[in-house]
Amino acid sequence: MDALSDVLRVVRLTGGVFLDAKFTAPWSVAGRVEPEEIRGFVERPCHVIGFHYVVAGRMVARVAGCDPVEVKAGEIVLLTRNDTHILASALEISPISAGAIVGEGAGIGTLEYGGGGAETRMVCGYLGSDCLDNPVVASLPPMLTLNVAATPGGAWIAQSFAFAAQQLAEGAVGASTIISKLSELMFVEAVRRHIEHLPPEQTGWLAGLRDPAVGKALALLHTEPSRDWTAEGLADAVHLSRSAFAERFTALLGQPPMKYLTGWRMQLAAHRLRENRGTVAQIAFDVGYESEASFTRAFRREMGAPPATWRKQAAPADHTAVMRTAAGEAEVRTASSSA
């Protein structure tokens, strides 16, 4: 498994849809996805990524610190840090708070707003994760766009998304689930495209994936995290001297390889603790520790609490969350806590 896929598996991005919107020019709205709004679907949403997929028409999207971008039909814009953002038919229009107009309904469903001119239809949703440390998101710019139709299989994905959006508007059962899975797929593709176009001088986790030596080292660490790795062993595996490898790894990722490995092992351990998969001793062995005591010390240092305590704190409470479909009906999802 490659490092990107492995990290995405552990951070568990969960997609959801909360709005099928139709805007008519002139219009301008500002908002973000509030973590409380998705807490029924992501127990502790440490990271939230908002997205807007344009089904028909066009719009302009802007986030502070980034150049505005035009988003056309068949394209998606992802707000990777869930910053407050502006979506508009034109940027010179003063925005209204999205909460002021969406809140008039149940906050989830359909919305029509604007001055009656050119129409833009979009599906709005989120990707959420309860993982504390997400190197993928941390390495991304605040806003990403993807021309879905231009990706491999993009025509099929775009058609599927448009069809699911239509079904969502008609209240069809399962339409929101289809869009959720497609949004997860499009996020991964947007990240891959972003990696391909990184400038040569770029640093960070994603830039590390692109580097032949560091990318191979990351793949090895993610494939065999329990192996008794040393900096020398990794350097040999990627055909560099220890000093050259350590310098390149640290320059790109901002930390030495062994410190990175410790952090990744703790994320794997947290994932298994959260899923209630095995005893603390078993998990310690699986992530490369010979004793439960040494693992507990490392986990407490990295995560702020001993493994057993962290597991209790991370256990999901019983909850029932309600998502209203575009037709106004309710889909009820229930999750029970694991013993």
Side-chain angles (χ1 to χ4, degrees), residues 4-73:
L4 176 61
S5 297
D6 207 19
V7 168
L8 290 174
R9 174 182 61 84
V10 172
V11 301
R12 300 192 314 170
L13 286 170
T14 300
V17 177
F18 60 85
L19 188 65
D20 177 32
K22 181 170 71 175
F23 295 98
T24 54
W27 61 275
S28 179
V29 297
R32 66 191 290 268
V33 181
E34 297 300 331
E36 292 74 16
E37 297 173 351
I38 69 170
R39 201 170 296 277
F41 301 95
V42 181
E43 182 67 22
R44 292 177 175 84
C46 298
H47 296 283
V48 179
I49 299 170
F51 75 80
H52 307 280
Y53 178 82
V54 177
V55 179
R58 59 163 295 280
M59 67 176 182
V60 182
R62 183 174 66 184
V63 172
C66 297
D67 293 332
V69 296
E70 183 178 28
V71 188
K72 301 177 183 177

Side-chain angles (χ1 to χ4, degrees), residues 52-243:
H52 307 280
Y53 178 82
V54 177
V55 179
R58 59 163 295 280
M59 67 176 182
V60 182
R62 183 174 66 184
V63 172
C66 297
D67 293 332
V69 296
E70 183 178 28
V71 188
K72 301 177 183 177
E75 297 180 344
I76 189 170
V77 58
L78 299 118
L79 292 310
T80 61
R81 297 171 193 167
N82 195 31
D83 295 319
T84 298
H85 53 279
I86 295 174
L87 307 176
S89 57
L91 289 179
E92 60 268 18
I93 303 169
S94 297
I96 186 173
S97 169
I101 52 176
V102 175
E104 293 175 359
I108 302 170
T110 59
L111 169 69
E112 294 189 15
Y113 174 78
E119 181 177 304
T120 299
R121 184 174 169 222
M122 71 182 76
V123 173
C124 307
Y126 67 87
L127 291 157
S129 172
D130 56 6
C131 183
L132 291 173
D133 187 14
N134 189 328
V136 177
V137 174
S139 299
L140 292 172
M143 184 166 59
L144 279 181
T145 58
L146 176 69
N147 184 342
V148 178
T151 64
W156 173 84
I157 295 173
Q159 291 171 2
S160 299
F161 211 105
F163 174 76
Q166 179 183 353
Q167 295 295 298
L168 180 67
E170 296 173 358
V173 175
S176 61
T177 301
I178 295 172
I179 292 181
S180 299
K181 297 304 180 185
L182 287 172
S183 66
E184 295 167 25
L185 175 64
M186 286 191 286
F187 172 74
V188 174
E189 187 59 32
V191 172
R192 294 189 187 279
R193 289 297 180 97
H194 177 69
I195 293 173
E196 292 174 359
H197 294 92
L198 287 175
E201 68 277 8
Q202 184 72 39
T203 61
W205 194 84
L206 296 176
L209 288 183
R210 186 184 57 180
D211 182 271
V214 174
K216 183 177 179 180
L218 287 171
L220 289 170
L221 293 175
H222 283 258
T223 302
E224 301 180 81
S226 62
R227 182 170 165 180
D228 187 18
W229 288 109
T230 63
E232 291 83 354
L234 275 172
D236 288 342
V238 300
H239 309 296
L240 288 176
S241 69
R242 182 189 182 285
S243 59

Side-chain angles (χ1 to χ4, degrees), residues 318-338:
D318 291 343
H319 62 268
T320 301
V322 178
M323 175 178 284
R324 298 182 184 276
T325 65
E329 300 174 349
E331 294 179 357
V332 180
R333 293 179 53 185
T334 302
S336 297
S337 60
S338 301

Side-chain angles (χ1 to χ4, degrees), residues 245-302:
F245 169 68
E247 181 179 355
R248 183 181 298 186
F249 192 102
T250 304
L252 284 171
L253 272 72
Q255 58 184 320
M258 292 301 100
K259 181 173 177 56
Y260 176 86
L261 176 59
T262 298
W264 176 242
R265 284 172 169 172
M266 295 306 104
Q267 288 301 319
L268 286 176
H271 175 65
R272 295 182 187 183
L273 288 166
R274 187 170 51 228
E275 296 293 325
N276 203 28
R277 292 165 57 185
T279 65
V280 172
Q282 289 171 334
I283 293 171
F285 179 79
D286 289 343
V287 299
Y289 286 81
E290 295 183 356
S291 75
E292 182 177 342
S294 60
F295 166 69
T296 297
R297 287 193 299 270
F299 193 92
R300 185 203 298 266
R301 186 172 57 250
E302 292 288 328

